[in-house]
Amino acid sequence: MKNIAVIGAGTMGNGIAHVFAQNGYKVNLIDISEESLDRGIATITRNLDRMLSKEKITGEDKIQTLKNITTHTQLSSGIPNTDLVVEAATERLEIKLGLFKEMDAIAAPNTILATNTSSISITKIAAATARPEKVIGMHFMNPVPIMKLVEIIRGYNTSDATTKVIMDLSLKLGKTPTEVNDYPGFVANRILMPMINEAIETLYHGVAGVEEIDTVMKLGMAHPMGPLQLADFIGLDVCLSILNVMYDGFKNPKYAPCPLLVNMVMANKLGIKSGEGFYDYNVSRKAEIVSSQFK
């Protein structure tokens, strides 16, 4: 497995492309516009510069990593002749189903199709293809170049052979793959999102303020980041989407998103990406927070 396609040049997609390229894989990074691709490559370049300044890589490593990435605006040019496609597009079912149907038609018969979804059913996504045994979840954590975990999610029809290939591949990337089964939220978000939602409920009911809630969890529970700051970092729209998937999947009220979260998303207070969430992020503060994740 040498040639990889990554669909989506946003936060997760450019991070996934970065990790594959840094480990010697040829990567086709695909997005709908040149502007999105340019932003993705700029982010990868900044992150490589940060690693270079910390002497984690050499200048030659940086040059070769960037050489390993080719950008495309069409699936038809970026997917053929690849061994693996990793989809990291918007967390919306209809978008993913459309992409996987198109990917299936373009990719070679033996190509594995993976999704970085954080909550949507792998089985449902695989049903849009004629190769459900070759569809699997690769849920990377943000920031991808730093975080070691890859949650490997088997759909109902995902084969043992596909799972082994992706587990082995993740190890070659320097990651720690953990195999889980296909239920709403998988493991990471089934546990994390209710905690974040409860932190928002705690704020909503006036038990404590934003910084106080985060301080309790950081100092009392040894979390590196408080749940409200983490929600801002993930994106409040993403948190809401994941909670809705779990609520719809389980029909259990404990997964119902807090009204405060719903209102904040409707008001476009999405966290770091919009400049305001539970915290207010000016340019320097945003840079400081993002930079801190790569220490």
Side-chain angles (χ1 to χ4, degrees):
M1 187 168 285
K2 296 294 183 185
N3 300 309
I4 312 296
V6 177
I7 300 176
T11 300
M12 296 306 295
N14 70 60
I16 294 167
H18 173 160
V19 167
F20 274 107
Q22 190 178 328
N23 283 277
Y25 294 87
K26 299 298 184 183
V27 179
N28 291 340
L29 182 59
I30 308 168
D31 211 309
I32 58 175
S33 72
E34 293 288 355
E35 292 79 10
S36 297
L37 290 165
D38 289 344
R39 286 194 298 271
I41 295 296
T43 298
I44 293 170
T45 303
R46 285 195 302 272
N47 290 338
L48 288 168
D49 285 338
R50 187 177 293 112
M51 296 174 78
L52 181 60
S53 70
K54 296 179 182 296
E55 299 184 345
K56 293 182 177 180
I57 61 171
T58 66
E60 181 57 35
D61 291 333
K62 173 190 169 181
I63 292 169
Q64 189 57 53
T65 297
L66 292 171
K67 280 184 178 179
N68 284 340
I69 303 172
T70 305
T71 59
H72 300 260
T73 56
Q74 300 293 327
L75 297 180
S76 57
S77 66
I79 287 180
N81 303 315
T82 56
D83 305 302
L84 168 68
V85 183
V86 182
E87 172 272 320
T90 303
E91 190 77 349
R92 288 172 54 188
L93 177 61
E94 63 273 20
I95 291 175
K96 293 187 185 296
L97 293 180
L99 279 172
F100 269 78
K101 185 176 181 179
E102 190 172 355
M103 289 156 54
D104 185 46
I106 296 170
N110 290 328
T111 300
I112 294 173
L113 306 181
T115 174
N116 184 58
T117 181
S118 55
S119 60
I120 297 173
S121 168
I122 307 303
T123 304
K124 187 175 290 187
I125 291 172
T129 77
R131 64 180 87 191
E133 75 285 354
K134 291 185 176 297
V135 177
I136 195 165
M138 289 186 79
H139 181 205
F140 290 85
M141 304 293 124
N142 185 28
V144 181
I146 301 303
M147 299 293 279
K148 291 294 186 182
L149 175 67
V150 183
E151 199 174 23
I152 307 297
I153 307 103
R154 295 184 63 141
Y156 188 83
N157 292 305
T158 305
S159 70
D160 291 342
T162 296
T163 304
K164 185 178 187 311
V165 167
I166 297 304
M167 293 285 283
D168 291 346
L169 176 63
S170 300
L171 289 170
K172 291 175 183 176
L173 296 176
K175 302 300 185 184
T176 302
T178 302
E179 182 183 336
V180 306
N181 290 318
D182 187 20
Y183 291 95
F186 315 133
V187 171
N189 282 316
R190 184 168 179 172
I191 295 170
L192 174 63
M193 287 301 153
M195 183 193 73
I196 287 176
N197 199 44
E198 192 63 30
I200 300 171
E201 287 278 2
T202 303
L203 176 67
Y204 180 55
H205 289 285
V207 178
V210 171
E211 293 189 8
E212 289 75 12
I213 291 168
D214 279 353
T215 298
V216 167
M217 297 305 291
K218 286 190 289 185
L219 299 186
M221 312 306 165
H223 290 194
M225 187 184 298
L228 299 176
Q229 184 186 0
L230 179 57
D232 277 355
F233 188 68
I234 293 168
L236 302 193
D237 53 336
V238 176
C239 294
L240 178 60
S241 175
I242 295 168
L243 284 164
N244 281 331
V245 167
M246 293 197 295
Y247 183 58
D248 291 342
F250 291 117
K251 308 300 182 189
N252 188 324
K254 76 177 181 179
Y255 298 114
C258 176
L260 176 58
L261 174 61
V262 175
N263 281 343
M264 291 180 71
V265 172
M266 286 194 296
N268 200 41
K269 308 298 184 185
L270 308 180
I272 287 178
K273 70 174 76 174
S274 69
E276 184 180 352
F278 293 106
Y279 294 86
D280 187 10
Y281 304 91
N282 58 41
V283 174
S284 60
R285 175 62 176 155
K286 178 178 177 181
E288 174 189 334
I289 289 171
V290 172
S291 176
S292 71
Q293 309 312 312
F294 289 85
K295 289 183 178 177

